[in-house]
Amino acid sequence: MTAQNSATAGTAIAVDTGRPSARRRGPGSGVVLAGLGVLAFSLTFPSTVWGLESFGPWSLVALRSVLAALIAGCALLAGRVPVPERRHWAGLAVVAGGVVVGFPLLTSLALRTSTSSHAAVVVGLLPLTTALLSALRTGSRPPRAFWAAALAGAAVVIAFTVQQSGGELSGGDLYLFGALLVCAAGYTEGGRLAGVMPGWQVIGWALVLTLPLAVAGAVVALPFEPVRLTAHGIIGLVWVAAGSTFLGLYVWYRGMAEIGVPRASQLQLAQPLLTLVWSFLVLGEEVSGAAPVAAVAVLVCIAVTQRAGSRGIRRTEADSRVGS
């Protein structure tokens, strides 16, 4: 009887040990989801420029947050999602402060004086910053090849975007560097939370958390900033709210939960180049002939980080199984 009880306990332990790795059984789907998030994010700067045609920066961020929070709230109510445990609210506050309020506000202020293509320099440093914060926050240790490729990719993107902007720093660069830090913190904490709750609930509750502040901000900002409604302005507002803030972050956090924050963050090396394409097509900004060269170099760096990161994850899971 004792032997049977021991066997039963051993089986239960084996099942429980396998559960955390279930999220990583389909790394391909995680890469696709995170890639869709990057595609959505790449439209954020051009859409913000359009939105600023109709609204001031403070009004745009407030209305963007209100609209996104209403969408998220309806989704949470429709799904009858229970309120997160108290221990998760601090992390949700970091997500809200970083990606819902901080990044949109700081980049909107920067885009008053910076072009969309110049602002892409922020995204050039964001993957490396996110990977560093993730390593510090979660204790993940990607291999050296990952860090070498990440540094190389960041260097390529920075060199290209600075060359694209004529090598000059704009007055909005302080806003951009601040946006870089708060966004990386929000991505890192959101990726961690997406391991314990669905990604859409992470961004959904973060948006709901900011709704009172967003409504107050809209009430204060709208009377002081002129509103000139245009088709571009409305489309820009709707996209940054529904596309970038809700849908983009939903697939982004879900992808990070499947492949890990460091690997997902490096997919964003492609974001500045995509932003430059959209800036050319949508805003008519000029793009240099070096874009194809930079694109190929970035794709190589992304491939190396994904391969190295995948090996690191497999080694970590193997060590975990041996320890168990």
Side-chain angles (χ1 to χ4, degrees), residues 124-129 131-132 142-158 262-263 265-267 269 298 300-302 304-306 308:
L125 285 172
L126 186 55
L128 181 61
T129 307
L132 287 170
R144 293 180 180 178
F146 173 92
W147 291 114
L151 287 168
V156 169
V157 172
I158 292 169
R263 283 185 66 194
S265 68
Q266 298 313 298
L267 292 173
L269 287 171
V298 164
V300 171
C301 293
I302 291 175
V304 174
T305 59
Q306 296 306 299

Side-chain angles (χ1 to χ4, degrees), residues 209-258:
L209 187 63
T210 64
L211 182 58
L213 178 63
V215 171
V219 170
V220 172
L222 284 172
F224 292 94
E225 291 183 332
V227 176
R228 297 180 294 273
L229 293 182
T230 65
H232 281 176
I234 295 174
I235 293 172
L237 170 62
V238 171
W239 176 258
V240 293
S244 300
T245 304
F246 184 70
L247 294 177
L249 286 170
Y250 159 57
V251 294
W252 175 244
Y253 284 138
R254 186 173 174 184
M256 282 198 293
E258 293 189 14

Side-chain angles (χ1 to χ4, degrees), residues 4 22 64 70 76 107 151 165 191 229 257 317:
Q4 289 176 349
R64 163 185 181 165
L70 291 176
L76 292 169
T107 52
L151 287 168
S165 63
L229 293 182
E317 291 180 346

Side-chain angles (χ1 to χ4, degrees), residues 29-151:
S29 64
V31 171
V32 171
L33 288 169
L36 289 174
V38 171
L39 180 61
F41 298 155
S42 69
L43 282 160
T44 300
F45 286 168
S47 299
T48 300
V49 172
W50 270 13
L52 289 172
E53 291 183 12
S54 295
F55 307 97
W58 295 89
S59 300
L60 179 62
V61 172
L63 292 173
R64 163 185 181 165
S65 299
V66 169
L67 181 57
L70 291 176
I71 295 173
C74 290
L76 292 169
L77 286 174
R80 297 182 179 179
V81 178
V83 176
E85 299 176 21
R86 182 179 299 179
R87 60 193 176 95
H88 296 318
W89 281 105
L92 290 170
V94 174
V95 175
V99 302
V100 179
V101 178
F103 187 80
L105 177 59
L106 292 171
T107 52
S108 295
L109 292 171
L111 287 170
R112 294 181 304 171
T113 56
S114 299
T115 64
S116 175
S117 56
H118 178 82
V121 71
V122 171
V123 184
L125 285 172
L126 186 55
L128 181 61
T129 307
T130 302
L132 287 170
L133 288 181
S134 175
L136 294 173
R137 179 69 176 87
T138 65
S140 61
R141 294 293 182 268
R144 293 180 180 178
F146 173 92
W147 291 114
L151 287 168

